Amino acid sequence: MKSALWSLLLCAALLRSGVQATYPLSAGDPQLIAAQSYAQSRNNGRPPPRTLNLAKTDSQCRSRPLDLVFIIDSSRSVRPGEFEKVKIFLADMVDTLDVGSDATRVAVVNYASTVRMEFLLKDHFNKPDLKKAISHIEPLAAGTMTGLAIKTAVNEAFTEQSGARPRSRNISKVAIIVTDGRPQDQVEEVSAAARASGIEIYAVGVDRADMQSLQLMASIPLEDHAFYVETYGVIEKLTSKFRETLCGVDPCAMGHDCQHICVNSNASYYCKCRIGYILNADKKTCSVKQVKVEVVEDPCKCEARLAFQKQTQAALQQLTAKHILSNVSGRIEHLENMLGRP
């Protein structure tokens, strides 16, 4: 009885205010079920039209590089205007990320009854090119093969050949699935296999999306990885949520104890020293680098010096010998004079 009353009150509030909301999913939440039922039965609101802005490239995310793959539903249930809003959401996400070959790389997998790789992680390393590629994406129509799309992303998008960084680099691998329907194939096994391979999955359901399927696809905790929005018109509100989650914080900006230079490294940091200094054993402080001066003699100069020394010694010996002989000769002559020569 209380659950039914809650549902009626929620629907009445939504009817009065015309609010369009986003919800994190929790299994069996009666308020959320009522909200989704209401969203499916009413006409979607039409906010002022927005177009994809190719020029805007500001970024507040600088601390966590990602291999990020968007998996977007473009089945027949997604109307052309709604698909444009998905592309605006992707462009807004690109604007919030620190994009680059050594930062975040982005790929897009487009699916309906078939799957199409729109571009790979290795294709675009700057925001203008990424947003231009997003603007050219066209819907595929027909069915909703979400499981096939996830499998394709794992086998073709998250590979080193396609631009994903090696596992040894410890770069986070993230998939964001956006869908508005119930999958027409199995998603539980392929999603579990993707998560087991190290891919973190976020599932965003819109309007008629099946909540149980979103929960089967998403990583845990579900409240941080599975979301429902009533219409494509408010999907862009999730941008700030993803920015908080994917960017994290700047460890160096939060405070550090490096004496010279702090360098961000994923969710942590390490210290470096300025030129001419070396890092001490504590990995925080720096000392002046001791330079050992090693004098290398020119062999030719050494040989010349030795030859000169030998010549000098020989000359001195000759002079000494002459001086001694001269002195002896003088003394003999003096003695002879004293004794008288015959």
Side-chain angles (χ1 to χ4, degrees):
M1 185 69 181
K2 289 183 178 179
S3 176
L5 182 59
W6 268 109
S7 299
L8 287 172
L9 288 172
L10 178 62
C11 289
L14 287 168
L15 283 168
R16 285 198 304 270
S17 63
V19 172
Q20 295 175 327
T22 64
Y23 307 88
L25 296 185
S26 298
D29 188 339
Q31 298 180 43
L32 182 53
I33 294 172
Q36 186 190 33
S37 175
Y38 169 72
Q40 291 173 345
S41 61
R42 72 186 177 92
N43 291 326
N44 293 335
R46 293 290 180 268
R50 226 189 118 197
T51 57
L52 196 155
N53 186 347
L54 296 177
K56 181 184 175 186
T57 58
D58 58 308
S59 172
Q60 301 298 322
C61 178
R62 301 193 181 280
S63 62
R64 186 186 174 197
L66 306 169
D67 285 337
L68 174 61
V69 177
F70 290 100
I71 304 173
I72 57 172
D73 176 0
S74 65
S75 57
R76 186 175 289 114
S77 61
V78 184
R79 293 182 283 274
E82 294 173 335
F83 192 68
E84 287 302 311
K85 290 183 174 66
V86 174
K87 290 159 64 173
I88 291 171
F89 167 66
L90 298 189
D92 285 348
M93 286 293 298
V94 166
D95 274 332
T96 69
L97 299 170
D98 186 17
V99 174
S101 60
D102 294 322
T104 292
R105 301 181 181 185
V106 179
V108 173
V109 176
N110 185 10
Y111 79 95
S113 56
T114 59
V115 179
R116 184 167 68 201
M117 292 294 308
E118 294 293 346
F119 53 85
L120 302 172
L121 294 168
K122 66 180 181 181
D123 288 344
H124 306 295
F125 294 143
N126 63 72
K127 295 182 183 183
D129 287 351
L130 265 175
K131 294 170 72 174
K132 186 175 181 180
I134 289 170
S135 71
H136 292 156
I137 298 174
E138 296 293 334
L140 298 173
T144 310
M145 302 296 286
T146 309
L148 178 62
I150 295 171
K151 186 175 182 179
T152 302
V154 173
N155 294 337
E156 297 183 26
F158 285 109
T159 64
E160 290 185 35
Q161 293 83 356
S162 297
R165 268 72 64 95
R167 190 180 299 272
S168 60
R169 294 277 302 277
N170 293 321
I171 302 296
S172 299
K173 303 192 184 310
V174 176
I176 298 179
I177 303 168
V178 181
T179 180
D180 79 334
R182 181 187 297 272
Q184 294 177 336
D185 56 356
Q186 295 298 315
V187 297
E188 185 172 7
E189 282 190 20
V190 292
S191 298
R195 295 193 300 268
S197 71
I199 299 171
E200 186 178 11
I201 299 179
Y202 293 84
V204 177
V206 184
D207 197 5
R208 300 165 293 276
D210 177 58
M211 282 190 255
Q212 184 178 5
S213 298
L214 297 179
Q215 293 169 349
L216 290 174
M217 292 185 288
S219 297
I220 56 175
L222 290 178
E223 59 267 24
D224 293 332
H225 292 86
F227 302 95
Y228 169 76
V229 295
E230 293 180 5
T231 72
Y232 281 102
V234 294
I235 193 173
E236 65 192 64
K237 291 185 177 181
L238 286 174
T239 304
S240 59
K241 172 65 179 176
F242 278 117
R243 181 171 58 231
E244 289 177 18
T245 304
L246 300 180
C247 295
V249 295
D250 183 336
C252 288
M254 293 294 290
H256 63 86
D257 49 7
C258 298
Q259 184 180 4
H260 284 186
I261 302 168
C262 178
V263 180
N264 287 317
S265 178
N266 289 337
S268 185
Y269 70 88
Y270 63 91
C271 302
K272 287 179 65 177
C273 297
R274 294 191 290 269
I275 296 174
Y277 294 80
I278 58 173
L279 197 63
N280 293 328
D282 62 6
K283 302 299 183 182
K284 299 173 184 177
T285 59
C286 302
S287 298
V288 176
K289 185 184 291 185
Q290 298 295 326
V291 180
K292 292 183 178 180
V293 178
E294 185 176 346
V295 179
V296 179
E297 292 282 357
D298 185 341
C300 295
K301 289 183 179 179
C302 290
E303 289 178 5
R305 186 179 299 163
L306 288 170
F308 175 75
Q309 289 175 348
K310 288 179 179 179
Q311 290 174 359
T312 303
Q313 289 174 354
L316 287 172
Q317 288 173 355
Q318 288 177 0
L319 288 172
T320 303
K322 286 180 179 180
H323 178 70
I324 293 172
L325 289 173
S326 176
N327 285 343
V328 170
S329 177
R331 286 177 181 274
I332 293 171
E333 186 176 353
H334 177 68
L335 288 171
E336 286 179 344
N337 289 332
M338 287 178 64
L339 296 174
R341 286 185 181 176

